[in-house]
Amino acid sequence: MTAAPEYLTSLLASYAREPPKTRPFVTLTFAQSLDGKIAGTAGKQLALSGHESLVMTHWLRTLHDAILVGSGTALNDDPQLNSALAFTLAFLSTSKRALDYGCPQRAKLLRNYALGSGAGRQPWVVSRRDADPEWETRRQALEKAGARVLVLPAELESRSSIAALLSLLRTEGIRSLMVEGGAQIITAFFGASDTCVDTVLITTAPVLIGASGVSYKVPEVRFTSPLFFFSPH
Ligand SMILES: NC(=O)C1=CN([C@@H]2O[C@H](COP(=O)(O)OP(=O)(O)OC[C@H]3O[C@@H](n4cnc5c(N)ncnc54)[C@H](O)[C@@H]3O)[C@@H](O)[C@H]2O)C=CC1
Ligand SMILES: Nc1nc(O)c(N)c(N[C@@H]2O[C@H](COP(=O)(O)O)[C@@H](O)[C@H]2O)n1
């Protein structure tokens, strides 16, 4: 297929307009089991999406300016976040943990970027500044490994971390953001005090994972747009 499917382009048609001033358009999308689990015991990455759903996810990746995953997902899954095109990654962290991403054994995004010729875009890591000198050491190491580290500016500190992140990304020219997870990030976007999600697209796989699987929470439902479920497995 050489063009994005019509059901996705029509779903995201409004993203051609000017985004809000304080944030990009945001699509929250992930795959879950019937009992609402997005990963297995101890975060084991699961192939919940079938072929059709993966094709959809890869098209979605091409239809957004950037993809966000939490540092937990970046470290646990070591994702590529690619498809036919290459992508920017931004991920959010309030701790030094995200900066561990520079570890070469688990940094496919950095390796793809280093290959050049469009194999992958430069990963961005978003972090709050930490007073610990170790933070600066790790930031420098991550930048040396090829990432761009964005530090949340002090003037955004009073806002919720999601609002501050989105504002920063918008300032950096990101007009549309695809948020893939994981559990904490999904929970944070569902619970953000300002409405900040335009589209929710959930793949449901016809499996049960059980209580030890990883799940997200929906602290508050703050949006009125319809949800889109992608069920064919
Ligand atoms: N089925 C699916 O579609 C997907 C499943 N996953 C799964 O999710 C699991 C990882 O999820 P988690 O461990 O919850 O990690 P996560 O990917 O949600 O990242 C957690 C980190 O994000 C940052 N963060 C989260 N909320 C924040 C907030 N409000 N403000 C600032 N920073 C914040 C913090 O650094 C935190 O440590 C993995 O097992 C992965 O396989 C991940 C993505 C998609
Ligand atoms: N759409 C979807 N379906 C699943 O079943 C999944 N487990 C995920 N996970 C997300 O995709 C990332 C892996 O991407 P690559 O294949 O490495 O490009 C993973 O980190 C999650 O964000 N998504």
Side-chain angles (χ1 to χ4, degrees):
M1 204 187 301
T2 52
E6 201 276 331
Y7 72 91
L8 285 182
T9 50
S10 59
L11 183 65
L12 304 179
S14 60
Y15 290 14
R17 294 204 295 264
E18 191 60 18
K21 287 198 167 44
T22 55
R23 65 171 178 86
F25 290 115
V26 172
T27 304
L28 181 58
T29 181
F30 52 89
Q32 68 174 43
S33 62
L34 288 174
D35 54 340
K37 307 297 178 188
I38 64 165
T41 308
K44 185 182 177 341
Q45 189 179 9
L46 297 177
L48 292 163
S49 292
H51 175 72
E52 270 185 76
S53 177
L54 280 180
V55 169
M56 178 196 69
T57 297
H58 280 218
W59 272 116
L60 277 175
R61 289 174 178 176
T62 72
L63 294 170
H64 292 81
D65 285 347
I67 304 163
L68 171 76
V69 294
S71 52
T73 298
L75 294 166
N76 187 73
D77 295 2
D78 192 12
Q80 305 217 62
L81 304 181
N82 57 7
S83 82
L85 299 177
F87 297 96
T88 299
L89 161 83
F91 64 81
L92 172 66
S93 178
T94 50
S95 69
K96 290 187 287 295
R97 194 164 171 248
L99 301 184
D100 287 341
Y101 185 70
C103 170
Q105 287 83 2
R106 45 161 131 87
K108 288 199 187 110
L109 288 158
L110 284 167
R111 289 211 300 272
N112 288 350
Y113 175 55
L115 289 174
S117 310
R121 284 201 198 153
Q122 184 180 34
W124 294 4
V125 177
V126 182
S127 178
R128 283 185 195 280
R129 192 175 293 282
D130 191 314
D132 185 342
E134 176 70 6
W135 181 90
E136 181 55 27
T137 307
R138 291 199 201 182
R139 183 188 68 78
Q140 285 179 17
L142 191 47
E143 286 191 335
K144 200 167 164 218
R148 177 178 179 209
V149 178
L150 285 85
V151 179
L152 288 168
E155 67 266 23
L156 295 178
E157 289 282 332
S158 61
R159 307 184 64 176
S160 85
S161 52
I162 297 302
L165 168 81
L166 293 176
S167 182
L168 175 64
L169 293 180
R170 180 78 175 92
T171 308
E172 290 293 328
I174 301 299
R175 296 167 60 91
S176 59
L177 180 70
M178 173 176 172
V179 179
E180 293 206 18
Q184 283 188 40
I185 288 290
I186 295 167
T187 302
F189 273 80
F190 274 137
S193 51
D194 299 328
T195 303
C196 66
V197 178
D198 300 285
T199 308
V200 181
L201 220 165
I202 303 172
T203 292
T204 50
V207 291
L208 294 168
I209 302 302
S212 61
V214 174
S215 52
Y216 60 91
K217 294 189 178 67
V218 184
E220 201 72 60
V221 176
R222 297 182 191 276
F223 52 90
T224 51
S225 318
L227 300 184
F228 294 88
F229 286 91
F230 193 83
S231 291
H233 192 52

